[in-house]
């Protein structure tokens, strides 16, 4: 019996590779120290931002040992989604921004490029001209803006998929539940880094606390977690259940989740702003407080509805799992 317990303990004890040890004991602590020196307040938020990831790992550890994800795979996927995923999305967004400028403001593209690269220009005059042009081309501006949000949503939703493919290629996925956990870990890594970058800039620009809360809620952490889990569920159905699922069939619902959240915040935010203004709530509560209540209302409605969709998918998946031999 004692030998059996020793064997179990030997299996469960994490054994990290050299690269993981370098990451855990050198790279990440060095990053934290540098961040603490340059921005102590934002560094103090790092442990709080890691709470969702720790709860995800803790939830995974409630499963039987053979279904638990490898700890090194979890950390690597989280870091990949955070660092490499953020860099990839930033590049895509930069390219899309320049395309957006060129398509929507054709007559002013070179003026804007000149301002960015060389400057200075009369920005007040340029901005007035761009605003007039935008009003004349409102349909074009709306189409390009929606296309920009759509492509961004696709790129963000794809992070979990490509992180899972990388983990699968390196043999880090041994059970179908690993797909769900690692999909959520990649999404959490991305939104954690994005939130930390915002906090770093917000603390340097002296944001009001309520404005910081508004922006963090606006990111929609729940959307990223649910999208990551949905992506993992699709990969598990394809790779472990043998279902014929293309990448589009796996990603269409996570992309829909992202788009629903973004557009609900854009249009819902405008509606709540108008309602708050007409009801005279601004002098009583202030614009930031009205915005906070609006984001909470939208979050409850949108994320609650999407959570029900996610729950239905997992109920059917678990029912199918019980029926399978």
């Amino acid at each position: 019996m004692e030998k059996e317990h020793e064997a179990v303990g030997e299996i469960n004890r994490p054994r990290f590779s050299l690269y993981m040890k370098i990451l855990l004991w050198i790279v990440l602590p060095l990053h934290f120290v540098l961040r603490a020196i340059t921005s102590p307040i934002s560094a103090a938020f790092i442990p709080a931002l890691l709470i969702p990831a720790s709860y995800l790992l803790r939830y995974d550890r409630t499963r039987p040992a053979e279904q638990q994800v490898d700890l090194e795979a979890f950390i690597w996927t989280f870091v990949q989604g955070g660092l490499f995923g953020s860099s990839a999305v930033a590049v895509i967004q930069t390219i899309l921004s320049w395309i957006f400028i060129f398509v929507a403001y054709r007559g002013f593209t070179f003026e804007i490029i000149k301002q960015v690269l060389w400057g200075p220009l009369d920005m007040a005059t340029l901005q007035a001209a761009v605003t007039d042009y935008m009003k004349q081309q409102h349909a074009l501006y709306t189409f390009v803006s929606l296309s920009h949000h759509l492509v961004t949503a696709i790129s963000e939703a794809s992070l979990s998929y490509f992180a899972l493919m990388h983990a699968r290629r390196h043999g880090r996925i041994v059970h179908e539940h690993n797909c769900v956990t690692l999909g959520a870990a990649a999404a959490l890594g991305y939104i954690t880094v994005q939130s930390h970058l915002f906090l770093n800039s917000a603390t340097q620009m002296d944001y009001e606390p309520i404005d910081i809360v508004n922006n963090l809620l606006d990111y929609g952490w729940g959307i990223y977690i649910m999208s990551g889990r949905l992506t993992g569920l699709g990969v598990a159905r394809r790779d472990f259940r043998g279902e014929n699922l293309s990448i589009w069939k796996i990603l269409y619902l996570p992309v829909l989740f992202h788009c629903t959240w973004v557009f609900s915040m854009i249009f819902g935010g405008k509606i709540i702003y108008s309602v708050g203004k007409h009801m005279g709530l601004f002098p009583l509560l202030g614009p930031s407080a009205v915005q906070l209540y609006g984001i909470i209302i939208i979050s409850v409605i949108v994320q609650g509805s999407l959570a029900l969709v996610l729950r239905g998918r997992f109920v059917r998946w678990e029912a199918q799992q019980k029926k399978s031999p």
Side-chain angles (χ1 to χ4, degrees), residues 260-272:
T260 301
W261 174 252
V262 170
F263 296 144
S264 65
M265 292 304 299
I266 293 175
F267 299 112
K270 291 182 178 180
I271 293 174
I272 290 177

Side-chain angles (χ1 to χ4, degrees), residues 166-189:
H166 183 271
R168 181 79 165 160
R169 191 178 304 116
H170 288 79
R172 294 172 179 166
I173 297 178
V174 297
H175 193 276
E176 58 183 10
H177 284 288
N178 296 164
C179 296
V180 179
T181 301
L182 292 180
L188 267 177

Side-chain angles (χ1 to χ4, degrees), residues 214 272 285 288-298:
N214 283 338
I272 290 177
L285 301 175
S288 296
V290 173
Q291 182 184 9
L292 176 59
Y293 291 131
I295 293 175
I296 293 175
I297 293 172
I298 295 174

Side-chain angles (χ1 to χ4, degrees), residues 215-262:
N215 280 275
L216 290 177
L217 290 176
D218 190 25
Y219 277 127
W221 279 62
I223 296 297
Y224 284 90
I225 297 173
M226 289 187 287
S227 298
R229 288 174 62 83
L230 270 175
T231 303
L233 177 61
V235 172
R237 290 169 55 196
R238 184 191 64 188
D239 294 351
F240 286 90
R241 303 281 177 94
E243 298 185 31
N244 185 20
L245 296 178
S246 63
I247 183 174
W248 168 244
K249 289 183 179 180
I250 293 175
L251 290 179
Y252 86 91
L253 198 54
V255 171
L256 181 61
F257 273 34
H258 277 271
C259 291
T260 301
W261 174 252
V262 170

Side-chain angles (χ1 to χ4, degrees), residues 16-323:
F16 295 136
S17 64
L18 177 61
Y19 294 109
M20 178 56 63
K21 291 178 181 177
I22 293 175
L23 176 69
L24 289 178
W25 305 117
I26 298 178
V27 177
L28 294 181
L30 182 61
H31 170 76
F32 181 80
V33 171
L34 293 176
R35 181 62 69 189
I37 294 174
T38 57
S39 181
I41 299 178
S42 65
F45 282 108
I46 292 179
L49 293 175
L50 294 176
I51 291 177
S54 64
Y55 269 99
L56 176 63
L57 182 61
R58 184 178 179 182
Y59 176 75
D60 179 78
R61 289 301 184 258
T62 61
R63 297 190 176 279
E66 67 274 8
Q67 298 182 11
Q68 295 177 8
V69 70
D70 177 64
L71 182 58
E72 181 167 339
F74 182 90
I75 297 174
W76 270 124
T77 304
F78 182 83
V79 172
Q80 281 179 336
L83 298 181
F84 301 116
S86 296
S87 301
V89 172
V91 171
I92 293 173
Q93 288 178 335
T94 301
I95 295 174
L96 288 175
S97 297
W98 283 110
I99 294 175
F100 176 90
I101 291 173
F102 182 77
V103 174
Y105 310 119
R106 291 184 298 263
F108 305 97
T109 301
F110 295 106
E111 297 294 334
I112 295 174
I113 294 175
K114 188 176 179 181
Q115 165 65 27
V116 172
L117 296 180
W118 293 285
L121 291 176
D122 185 358
M123 286 303 296
T125 303
L126 179 62
Q127 185 176 4
V130 169
T131 302
D132 291 338
Y133 182 81
M134 183 179 67
K135 291 179 180 179
Q136 297 172 8
Q137 304 290 334
H138 182 71
L140 175 64
Y141 175 85
T142 303
F143 172 76
V144 174
S145 179
L146 294 178
S147 302
H148 180 277
H149 288 302
L150 176 61
V151 176
T152 301
I154 293 174
S155 61
E156 290 179 348
S158 301
L159 290 177
S160 295
Y161 179 82
F162 290 111
L164 286 171
M165 293 302 97
H166 183 271
R168 181 79 165 160
R169 191 178 304 116
H170 288 79
R172 294 172 179 166
I173 297 178
V174 297
H175 193 276
E176 58 183 10
H177 284 288
N178 296 164
C179 296
V180 179
T181 301
L182 292 180
L188 267 177
Y190 174 78
I191 191 60
T192 299
V193 169
Q194 293 298 309
S195 299
H196 176 61
L197 292 175
F198 163 73
L199 286 172
N200 182 56
S201 61
T203 52
Q204 294 179 359
M205 298 175 64
D206 295 328
Y207 274 45
E208 293 293 331
I210 190 171
D211 293 326
I212 294 178
V213 173
N214 283 338
N215 280 275
L216 290 177
L217 290 176
D218 190 25
Y219 277 127
W221 279 62
I223 296 297
Y224 284 90
I225 297 173
M226 289 187 287
S227 298
R229 288 174 62 83
L230 270 175
T231 303
L233 177 61
V235 172
R237 290 169 55 196
R238 184 191 64 188
D239 294 351
F240 286 90
R241 303 281 177 94
E243 298 185 31
N244 185 20
L245 296 178
S246 63
I247 183 174
W248 168 244
K249 289 183 179 180
I250 293 175
L251 290 179
Y252 86 91
L253 198 54
V255 171
L256 181 61
F257 273 34
H258 277 271
C259 291
T260 301
W261 174 252
V262 170
F263 296 144
S264 65
M265 292 304 299
I266 293 175
F267 299 112
K270 291 182 178 180
I271 293 174
I272 290 177
Y273 182 88
S274 300
V275 171
K277 184 177 181 180
H278 287 297
M279 293 181 62
L281 297 178
F282 283 2
L284 180 63
L285 301 175
S288 296
V290 173
Q291 182 184 9
L292 176 59
Y293 291 131
I295 293 175
I296 293 175
I297 293 172
I298 295 174
S299 299
V300 171
I301 296 174
V302 176
Q303 295 193 32
S305 301
L306 298 180
L308 291 177
V309 175
L310 177 67
R311 178 60 182 166
R313 289 292 180 111
F314 272 92
V315 167
R316 290 193 294 270
W317 182 55
E318 292 171 355
Q320 182 184 5
Q321 184 182 26
K322 293 178 181 178
K323 293 180 181 178

